[in-house]
Amino acid sequence: MKKNITAHGLSFEPFISEAEINTRVEALSSQIRQQYEGKQPLFIVVLNGAFVFAADLIRACDIACEVTFVRLASYEGTASTGKVATVLGLDFDVKNRHLIVVEDIVDSGRTLYHFMGELKKKEPASISLVALLLKPDALQFSVKIDYLGFEIPNKFVVGYGLDYNGLCRNLPSIYQLKDR
Ligand code: IMP
Ligand code: MG
């Protein structure tokens, strides 16, 4: 059993293991493969948090595809700030393309609610959303997740791409904030 970790003075305990993550990533990627084989989808990876998940997922999919990145910032510390800013925009013509948005976690849903709305205006052939994690109890905006890794309680998590003020993205598994 892995030990607790600390970041910026907060304590986190092991929550989802590497093996559990791998199993879910394999399952999601095989669903995506079945759905998108021959369609040459464009994966749109939401930076920064989704970079680890996306790297594993997209390689496991094993289909002809393209990959691009956007950066939408709405988060500071351990609570959503309520603002959504496009820091790094879309550099692809997405009209008539099959789009798969890849996100690490849907919390309030604010970031994706706005972003998916913007994407739909660009007349893609289809859009789907894959998210590793969802906190159903935190959801305030209606966001449809087509491929979901895990539903988790409304507690802050880090690791596997997810950070706490910049730290912990490189942890291979997911940790949850300990109750104090
Ligand atoms: P939302 O717009 O409230 O859904 O926030 C989504 C973004 O906030 C995610 O893409 C993450 O980058 C970040 N976020 C939400 N919850 C957590 C968490 O528990 N740990 C780390 N980052 C989180
Ligand atoms: Mg994110």
Side-chain angles (χ1 to χ4, degrees):
M1 188 68 183
K2 285 233 179 95
K3 286 200 235 51
N4 293 351
I5 53 137
T6 59
H8 297 300
L10 291 187
S11 218
F12 295 84
E13 60 194 356
F15 181 50
I16 307 176
S17 71
E18 258 185 282
E20 289 171 295
I21 295 170
N22 288 344
T23 303
R24 282 305 292 153
V25 169
E26 286 292 331
L28 296 176
S29 60
S30 81
Q31 285 176 40
I32 292 171
R33 185 183 319 116
Q34 283 165 30
Q35 210 65 46
Y36 285 92
E37 192 123 54
K39 291 185 175 170
Q40 204 164 306
L42 172 64
F43 286 95
I44 302 177
V45 180
V46 182
L47 295 173
N48 295 330
F51 80 105
V52 177
F53 173 47
D56 286 346
L57 181 82
I58 294 168
R59 281 180 297 174
C61 275
D62 194 25
I63 51 172
C65 65
E66 288 175 279
V67 184
T68 190
F69 302 88
V70 291
R71 190 162 169 212
L72 318 159
S74 81
Y75 226 77
E76 219 170 77
T78 58
S80 197
T81 58
K83 287 174 284 181
V84 177
T86 306
V87 183
L88 176 69
L90 203 57
D91 61 351
F92 255 79
D93 183 8
V94 299
K95 194 171 176 179
N96 298 324
R97 294 295 307 264
H98 292 283
L99 309 180
I100 307 175
V101 176
V102 184
E103 177 64 299
D104 51 358
I105 182 166
V106 178
D107 185 63
S108 72
R110 178 180 288 110
T111 319
L112 283 178
Y113 177 80
H114 290 284
F115 183 61
M116 299 300 275
E118 289 303 309
L119 273 186
K120 277 175 199 150
K121 290 183 200 159
K122 298 180 190 288
E123 301 175 52
S126 68
I127 313 186
S128 68
L129 172 62
V130 46
L132 180 67
L133 304 172
L134 167 68
K135 293 178 182 169
D137 296 339
L139 206 59
Q140 296 172 36
F141 293 79
S142 145
V143 173
K144 179 174 165 275
I145 303 176
D146 301 276
Y147 308 93
L148 176 66
F150 303 90
E151 284 194 2
I152 63 168
N154 193 6
K155 283 189 183 176
F156 196 75
V157 290
V158 295
Y160 199 68
L162 293 144
D163 73 307
Y164 170 46
N165 284 351
L167 295 178
C168 302
R169 292 196 197 276
N170 57 328
L171 298 172
S173 62
I174 296 174
Y175 290 73
Q176 188 178 58
L177 184 62
K178 278 185 76 168
D179 295 323
R180 279 186 282 186

